[in-house]
Amino acid sequence: MKKTLTQKILEHHLVSGTCIPGREISIRIDQTLTQDATGTMAYLQFESMHVPRVKTELSVSYVDHNTVQIGFENADDHRYLQSVAEKFGLYFSRAGNGICHQVHLERFGRPGKTLIGSDSHTPTGGALGMIAIGAGGLDVALAMAGEPFYLTCPRVINIHLEGHLQPWVSAKDIILKVLDLFGTKGNVGSVFEYGGPGVETLSVPERATITNMGAECGVTTSIFPSDAMTLRFLKAQQREEDWLEFAADHGAQYDRVVEIDLSKLEPLTAMPHSPGNIARIRDCEPVPIRQVCLGSCTNSSYKDLATAAKILKGTVAHPDVSFIIAPGSKQVLENLARDGYLADLLAAGARLMENACGFCIGNSQSPPSGSASLRTSNRNFFGRSGTRDAQVYLASPESAAAAVLTGHLTDPRDLNLPYPDISLPERFHVDDRLIIEPMDPESAAGAPIYRGPNIGPPPANEPLPDSLDGIVTLKVGDHITTDHIIPAGERMKYRSNIPKYAEYLFEIVDHTFFRRAMQIKESGHSNIIVAGTSYGQGSSREHAAICPMYVGVKAILAKSFERIHAANLINFGILPLTFLDEEDYDRLADGDRLLFPDIRSSLVDGDRVRLLNDTGGISMEVAFELTNRQKKILLAGGVLNRF
Ligand code: MIC
Ligand code: SF4
């Protein structure tokens, strides 16, 4: 049988199950990555598994999210992470070396391998022809302990690229077009596999912009074939020995084929407040832009920044625009500096940030109140920038440079400048001295682990009780993102301190949530959250499950869930329940008392459970969409209990 690239890699790594779309399978994981904001918890969980050394081919711990050090918390976390990496056999990428996805692409990713990472943009690695999936930290900890990774065998959608991009249109516009076609929901359980003659016109970093933002569509991952372009990239990284040709068989069957003619694309933007809210820049109002941010883990490669540098050479940013740059890695920054592009950017007024997540996660550089910010990053959710009433637009580096010059949303073709052709270096200047290698097993045995006061214990849960007596602590609508559930930004330094971090649960939705939830818990009731569609979209942040668990949330009743978040809820023993009849959502209100008389036995025996709304005097049936393995985890009160 002719196979897709996805099938080939999955089947090669299959541990259990059959690769039939919709069925649960488990696969062997070759590589893992973590970043500091999810990593501390992942390693605390790994430690509690008592495995002396990681069992993967390669595991890397990155520090890129919480790099601003006001107070001791982040510094404590970094020190803990470094000591854990050295001891348990991981590579450690120090703060300053760059953002996990960009660095992993440059230095570690390999065609044909499997990678899971505790960050939702891990699929960036798919640009190298690997299966790279975002997961919760606990799943990554299990993979490091040698356990397989469970997923729903995906449907494979072929995105067939024809033609080639016109000047001023770039990779960002391709993925914005994909977002326009597929939207941000309804794609759970699919993989986007790119093919067609347009593929060979795209370099690996351009492919990475596309695979990175596939996460915004909610797909399991995105993947490109490994071809001559991949070899070229690996050669430039001085690691051509890692290359392997990998492609789908001719005539492979896809669940769906969607064609995009690259020659017809135009500069696009994702308007506030969703990456799926796509328009042609030409059709938009010329909104005044007060801030332009170039970089993050999307569009932060050498070519992205060099292109902007060439457009801006000899000019200076519009007086109303604050122009921020955050290169994806130290390698990008060093090469830009060596080739003169950095000087051009600085001369144009660029404010150089660390090679870290920074502005993307609202950790710094929040825009002025009520203003619009144009960013090349991947998310523009409400409140994420750190300024609640800011409007964030997402666009390409070309469009970003245009806004730097004009001070408003501008189609870069209207600049009437020659299009800057950037030739990529044959070989990048590569210096890996900010990556610390693991210790040899003998020295590692006696090596200490540093635990400053910000490092708490991993949180614990009890097994599922026979019945639940709960209160609806909060009822929310559709598209609740993990940014709504537990904010990042300045709160993120409490990632390794759950009791403190939990105080900020649902802060931007209802700041009284934490107090109410704790009162309900203390009164002996469970907390229950009622939600609309796509609950938990947006990130792999398992704190969006751990913190609710800590305050006593036992179930979420929603119209639908996002993949990574549903897996995280199960991992931490919170029941993800879906309405059988969506109209039942309207029959529940804040403060209602809900009784699930036989929750444990219903879970053991079937796919449904009856609940009584004691306040409204009605009852209804809701569904578990769970495998037997997931049921066992829930009965135990989470994966750690079961492990
Ligand atoms: C994000 O982009 O929202 C993050 C911060 O990278 C998250 C991970 C986290 O919250 O630590 C993600 O995308 O998974
Ligand atoms: Fe970091 Fe932003 Fe990328 Fe998340 S999306 S990994 S916060 S740069």
Side-chain angles (χ1 to χ4, degrees):
M1 206 184 92
K2 315 254 194 250
K3 289 189 177 150
T4 66
L5 178 53
T6 309
Q7 275 167 338
K8 286 188 187 178
I9 303 179
L10 287 180
E11 282 177 12
H12 184 69
H13 288 83
L14 200 65
V15 175
S16 68
T18 334
C19 252
I20 298 175
R23 296 253 186 106
E24 188 176 74
I25 55 170
S26 69
I27 56 171
R28 181 167 43 79
I29 295 299
D30 302 320
Q31 301 191 345
T32 64
L33 71 80
T34 57
Q35 36 90 340
D36 51 311
T38 53
T40 45
M41 223 12 92
Y43 297 110
L44 284 165
Q45 289 154 355
F46 179 75
E47 278 189 79
S48 70
M49 295 172 188
H50 303 292
V51 175
R53 207 172 167 84
V54 292
K55 297 190 176 166
T56 42
E57 285 176 10
L58 173 117
S59 286
V60 192
S61 170
Y62 293 92
V63 176
D64 54 2
H65 277 62
N66 283 327
T67 54
V68 178
Q69 283 165 232
I70 301 173
F72 61 93
E73 291 88 350
N74 293 341
D76 274 10
D77 286 3
H78 302 173
R79 190 151 190 238
Y80 167 74
L81 289 170
Q82 180 169 346
S83 61
V84 164
E86 287 175 8
K87 188 173 176 72
F88 293 115
L90 291 95
Y91 288 86
F92 181 70
S93 172
R94 298 170 61 180
N97 196 45
I99 305 177
C100 54
H101 309 303
Q102 176 68 25
V103 178
H104 207 84
L105 197 73
E106 291 167 355
R107 308 306 306 144
F108 296 109
R110 286 177 72 171
K113 297 285 178 189
T114 53
L115 162 72
I116 65 166
S118 59
D119 190 280
S120 59
H121 290 103
T122 305
T124 310
L128 284 171
M130 66 195 304
I131 290 282
I133 304 180
L138 188 45
D139 283 329
V140 175
L142 287 166
M144 292 189 296
E147 295 291 310
F149 174 65
Y150 289 86
L151 72 157
T152 307
C153 178
R155 300 184 311 138
V156 186
I157 299 174
N158 179 228
I159 303 193
H160 183 88
L161 304 179
E162 281 290 337
H164 54 83
L165 293 169
Q166 298 296 311
W168 300 102
V169 183
S170 62
K172 181 63 137 237
D173 301 303
I174 304 179
I175 187 62
L176 293 178
K177 181 70 192 176
V178 171
L179 272 151
D180 192 26
L181 293 171
F182 287 89
T184 54
K185 59 173 181 142
N187 307 306
V188 173
S190 312
V191 167
F192 289 158
E193 188 169 307
Y194 289 84
V199 163
E200 63 197 48
T201 68
L202 300 170
S203 67
V204 168
E206 289 170 310
R207 296 174 184 183
T209 295
I210 297 170
T211 50
N212 172 288
M213 280 189 80
E216 274 51 69
C217 295
V219 291
T220 307
T221 190
S222 303
I223 187 167
F224 276 84
S226 168
D227 57 9
M229 272 293 191
T230 322
L231 175 60
R232 199 174 153 193
F233 175 80
L234 289 172
K235 264 193 188 151
Q237 289 295 334
Q238 305 177 20
R239 54 188 193 101
E240 49 266 53
E241 66 284 359
D242 288 348
W243 185 69
L244 204 68
E245 189 161 18
F246 243 105
D249 291 331
H250 276 292
Q253 291 290 310
Y254 289 93
D255 292 282
R256 192 175 156 197
V257 180
V258 172
E259 191 174 308
I260 296 180
D261 185 349
L262 300 181
S263 330
K264 296 215 174 101
L265 292 183
E266 294 187 62
L268 300 174
T269 181
M271 297 183 296
H273 296 286
S274 165
N277 195 8
I278 307 295
R280 289 197 311 177
I281 296 187
R282 174 137 297 172
D283 299 335
C284 295
E285 294 287 316
V287 197
I289 301 286
R290 287 272 163 187
Q291 181 193 55
V292 171
C293 301
L294 178 60
S296 81
C297 67
T298 331
N299 289 121
S300 57
S301 73
Y302 178 89
K303 185 172 175 194
D304 293 307
L305 276 86
T307 302
K310 235 176 171 167
I311 299 171
L312 297 172
K313 190 177 167 86
T315 62
V316 72
H318 185 280
D320 291 339
V321 176
S322 173
F323 175 34
I324 314 287
I325 54 173
S329 67
K330 177 170 96 47
Q331 185 193 97
V332 168
L333 182 61
E334 278 191 309
N335 282 275
L336 290 170
R338 283 166 178 258
D339 297 347
Y341 291 119
L342 182 62
D344 295 338
L345 286 166
L346 296 177
R351 299 170 57 192
L352 178 60
M353 300 291 131
E354 227 179 324
N355 317 315
C357 299
F359 74 80
C360 173
I361 192 62
N363 243 342
S364 62
Q365 310 319 121
S366 298
S369 296
S371 69
S373 170
L374 190 150
R375 302 173 165 212
T376 65
S377 46
N378 47 31
R379 289 182 172 154
N380 58 349
F381 301 141
F382 175 76
R384 181 174 167 99
S385 67
T387 304
R388 241 188 237 211
D389 56 0
Q391 309 279 313
V392 177
Y393 291 78
L394 306 176
S396 68
E398 289 83 349
S399 304
V404 170
L405 288 176
T406 64
H408 55 80
L409 188 60
T410 306
D411 184 322
R413 294 171 298 184
D414 295 343
L415 294 175
N416 292 322
L417 293 174
Y419 185 64
D421 253 331
I422 303 292
S423 51
L424 286 176
E426 284 293 314
R427 280 201 180 288
F428 283 108
H429 170 76
V430 174
D431 173 358
D432 283 335
R433 283 175 300 169
L434 287 191
I435 299 176
I436 300 180
E437 303 218 351
M439 279 183 189
D440 63 86
E442 263 165 52
S443 340
I449 292 180
Y450 293 100
R451 279 176 230 278
N454 199 42
I455 309 292
N461 199 13
E462 322 84 54
L464 186 71
D466 292 333
S467 61
L468 284 185
D469 178 349
I471 309 280
V472 178
T473 329
L474 184 68
K475 180 175 176 181
V476 288
D478 294 341
H479 303 310
I480 289 295
T481 69
T482 48
D483 280 326
H484 289 108
I485 302 172
I486 190 89
E490 54 177 335
R491 310 294 189 211
M492 209 157 59
K493 62 181 178 190
Y494 300 121
R495 281 293 177 87
S496 39
N497 183 348
I498 300 300
K500 180 72 193 157
Y501 196 33
E503 289 176 18
Y504 303 110
L505 272 168
F506 289 104
E507 191 188 18
I508 61 171
V509 179
D510 174 354
H511 66 277
T512 64
F513 177 88
F514 174 73
R515 207 166 9 98
R516 272 203 327 276
M518 289 310 271
Q519 278 164 359
I520 291 173
K521 183 181 177 185
E522 275 150 28
S523 72
H525 294 90
S526 304
N527 285 282
I528 293 174
I529 294 168
V530 173
T533 55
S534 294
Y535 181 78
Q537 75 179 51
S539 89
S540 71
R541 193 172 306 170
E542 68 182 357
H543 294 76
I546 303 178
C547 293
M549 174 190 95
Y550 173 76
V551 303
V553 174
K554 293 287 180 209
I556 316 273
L557 233 71
K559 292 184 185 170
S560 64
F561 292 90
E562 276 299 308
R563 173 188 67 88
I564 304 181
H565 189 61
N568 286 337
L569 289 173
I570 295 165
N571 280 349
F572 290 96
I574 298 179
L575 291 161
L577 301 172
T578 43
F579 291 106
L580 279 167
D581 176 358
E582 287 204 355
E583 285 176 11
D584 282 341
Y585 170 85
D586 302 319
R587 300 193 181 100
L588 299 176
D590 269 321
D592 281 358
R593 181 163 177 211
L594 307 185
L595 304 171
F596 297 81
D598 317 299
I599 191 81
R600 230 187 132 84
S601 54
S602 311
L603 187 60
V604 174
D605 298 337
D607 298 325
R608 291 170 184 206
V609 61
R610 179 154 290 282
L611 81 87
L612 180 70
N613 180 348
D614 196 45
T615 313
I618 46 169
S619 77
M620 61 181 74
E621 266 196 329
V622 291
F624 316 111
E625 289 167 8
L626 300 167
T627 63
N628 283 336
R629 182 186 63 86
Q630 292 171 325
K631 287 182 174 183
K632 285 182 190 150
I633 294 174
L634 284 164
L635 290 169
V639 161
L640 279 181
N641 290 358
R642 193 160 159 73
F643 191 84

